[in-house]
Amino acid sequence: MEETLSHIVRGCKLARELESNIPNLAKQPRMLAKSCDEIMKIFGTAKERLNAQDDHSAYPYMFAQASGMETSGEMQEWLKTSYLQALQAQYGLTESKVGGIEPVTLSGHPGFELGGRDREGSARSTGSGGEFQAMEGSDSGNSNSQRLRRRKDDIRKRKETVAAPRIGNTDIPPDDNFTWRKYGQKEILGSKYPRSYYRCTHQKLYNCPAKKQVQRLEHDPFMFDITYIDDHTCHKSATAPSVPPPPPEVTPEMIQATTAQLPMGRWLSMELKPTGEAANAFVDHSQVQMHVDLGLGEGSSSSMVGTGGSTAGPSMVRFGREAEYPVVDLADTMFNSGSSSSNSMDFLFTHTEEKWEPAGDKKN
DNA sequence: TGCATTTGACCAAT
DNA sequence: ATTGGTCAAATGCA
């Protein structure tokens, strides 16, 4: 089993490397194909081994999918849902609704069909922070004093409905593990509550285009409609100043310990819907301790999130409803977690901290 | 033209 | 000094 896990880990690592090199390899389809083949081969080998395994008891979640093992419908549904949500977060699928992810057609670039048209043509690569950033950069370099705003039909949106935190300040939507800066609030015609506008804290620094709009539901004040506009590029930008440390050696013992103790779903994408019964049932907090003991959180990510995220750097690995790269996250969790503290993985399991203060009203 | 969205200056909190 | 909220005004869209 250790060897099988090593295959999976290696596959994840290669996938991540491939992802980071997409801008460079975009013009080298042969290299891309070769990389894909290699990754598929590794995962294929792993799957074959898994199929040959008789005893899955120690890894009930980890390998349920990969091995085709029978799992409860609820579990499979949850795994599917969380993965799709991650894809949506990554590729900006349009107007998905919480409680029912809309069908995703697997076609086109990284495998997904966007809800909106790609009006920027080839200059804009879906989900590619690098190219997108370059485009934004050219805009900012325009000496024309006229404001340059993206046309409304250029943006990609997705919509979520989330519940207010049960504990603490219920006037604000639950933390989504990204750092946002509020830039406006406005009374909306026909709405009882104002709409708040947020942009990514790193918008200026890294040209991160991510924005969100938060509006309390009229008929249910404890629910928020959150519209996410564009994706975060700040944590995967090639220009980001802090680069994750090179992956340390991962011993089979580490892998086994980790996988044996951590539920697969949490590990892969940390995609938990606040109202998802399956997800809630799935989280086993009794297993957190072992995960922490592994010291997986070494490095950049832990302290930042835990302290409110205001210093969150662009290279950090984020986990949340918007977790990106479900598979890559697994590798990131193992490799990138850098340094130190024994409770360095706390951020994975604490989503109650809110950094936003209640906003005052604004007349505009 | 009205409304939604964004900008940028200003200010308070840390 | 830095970060983030507020607000008037500018801008885009239907």
Side-chain angles (χ1 to χ4, degrees):
Chain A
M1 178 54 85
E2 287 82 359
E3 201 172 335
T4 306
L5 288 168
S6 294
H7 274 81
I8 294 174
V9 168
R10 175 162 167 72
C12 292
K13 185 181 174 185
L14 287 174
R16 188 176 51 157
E17 288 173 0
L18 174 62
E19 187 263 340
S20 65
N21 282 323
I22 280 179
N24 299 329
L25 294 175
K27 295 173 183 175
Q28 303 178 50
R30 286 196 172 191
M31 285 296 292
L32 278 173
K34 190 177 175 184
S35 297
C36 291
D37 282 342
E38 190 171 354
I39 293 166
M40 289 167 64
K41 187 178 171 184
I42 290 173
F43 279 118
T45 303
K47 191 184 174 188
E48 282 178 15
R49 289 169 175 270
L50 290 168
N51 286 337
Q53 298 273 344
D54 286 329
D55 180 12
H56 299 90
S57 59
Y59 314 92
Y61 305 122
M62 185 59 144
F63 304 108
Q65 291 293 95
S67 64
M69 180 176 92
E70 194 69 30
T71 57
S72 71
E74 185 179 76
M75 174 65 70
Q76 291 202 4
E77 182 59 30
W78 183 83
L79 286 169
K80 177 181 161 189
T81 300
S82 72
Y83 184 62
L84 284 177
Q85 279 193 296
L87 297 185
Q88 289 182 318
Q90 173 61 35
Y91 296 104
L93 299 172
T94 300
E95 297 292 341
S96 66
K97 301 278 187 185
V98 144
I101 303 298
E102 291 183 0
V104 176
T105 304
L106 300 181
S107 66
H109 171 42
F112 318 103
E113 181 175 287
L114 295 175
R117 288 188 295 161
D118 184 358
R119 292 167 188 263
E120 290 173 14
S122 59
R124 179 170 174 182
S125 164
T126 308
S128 166
E131 292 188 26
F132 181 74
Q133 199 163 346
M135 187 199 72
E136 296 280 314
S138 66
D139 275 355
S140 63
N142 192 333
S143 60
N144 192 337
S145 61
Q146 183 181 1
R147 286 185 191 175
L148 292 175
R149 274 167 63 168
R150 290 171 73 184
R151 295 171 59 90
K152 195 176 179 179
D153 50 1
D154 278 343
I155 62 180
R156 292 172 297 153
K157 291 184 180 179
R158 65 182 186 282
K159 207 169 183 178
E160 285 185 12
T161 304
V162 303
R166 293 179 186 177
I167 304 172
N169 193 343
T170 58
D171 292 333
I172 51 180
D175 189 3
D176 56 10
N177 280 329
F178 283 103
T179 54
W180 302 95
R181 172 167 181 172
K182 187 175 183 176
Y183 64 83
Q185 177 171 304
K186 193 176 188 311
E187 303 287 344
I188 300 300
L189 233 66
S191 290
K192 187 176 174 181
Y193 303 100
R195 179 176 300 165
S196 298
Y197 300 90
Y198 296 86
R199 62 171 171 77
C200 178
T201 299
H202 311 298
Q203 184 195 60
K204 290 189 174 178
L205 204 53
Y206 306 119
N207 287 317
C208 179
K211 292 191 290 288
K212 75 172 179 181
Q213 300 173 0
V214 176
Q215 181 147 29
R216 193 178 283 252
L217 296 185
E218 206 162 327
H219 60 277
D220 188 355
F222 294 100
M223 299 289 287
F224 294 93
D225 247 345
I226 302 182
T227 302
Y228 291 95
I229 301 168
D230 278 324
D231 300 318
H232 286 269
T233 60
C234 52
H235 59 302
K236 50 188 178 204
S237 163
T239 62
S242 64
V243 176
E249 281 299 318
V250 175
T251 66
E253 289 75 17
M254 284 176 64
I255 298 168
Q256 181 171 8
T258 304
T259 55
Q261 295 297 326
L262 186 64
M264 164 78 157
R266 276 294 245 179
W267 216 42
L268 272 188
S269 80
M270 295 300 152
E271 288 267 6
L272 290 182
K273 293 192 295 181
T275 55
E277 293 178 11
N280 288 337
F282 187 46
V283 177
D284 183 353
H285 292 280
S286 68
Q287 297 182 339
V288 168
Q289 187 56 47
M290 184 59 186
H291 189 59
V292 169
D293 287 343
L294 288 171
L296 291 173
E298 282 197 23
S300 58
S301 56
S302 60
S303 59
M304 294 190 273
V305 179
T307 55
S310 63
T311 58
S315 64
M316 65 188 299
V317 179
R318 292 279 201 176
F319 298 91
R321 275 180 303 288
E322 290 193 59
E324 310 202 16
Y325 303 108
V327 174
V328 175
D329 280 349
L330 181 145
D332 282 342
T333 302
M334 302 186 65
F335 293 128
N336 273 350
S337 19
S339 61
S340 54
S341 65
S342 61
N343 60 350
S344 53
M345 292 296 278
D346 283 353
F347 73 95
L348 291 181
F349 305 99
T350 55
H351 289 266
T352 53
E353 276 197 31
E354 293 289 345
K355 73 190 303 313
W356 298 334
E357 297 299 321
D361 282 341
K362 166 188 176 180
K363 295 169 245 172
N364 198 6

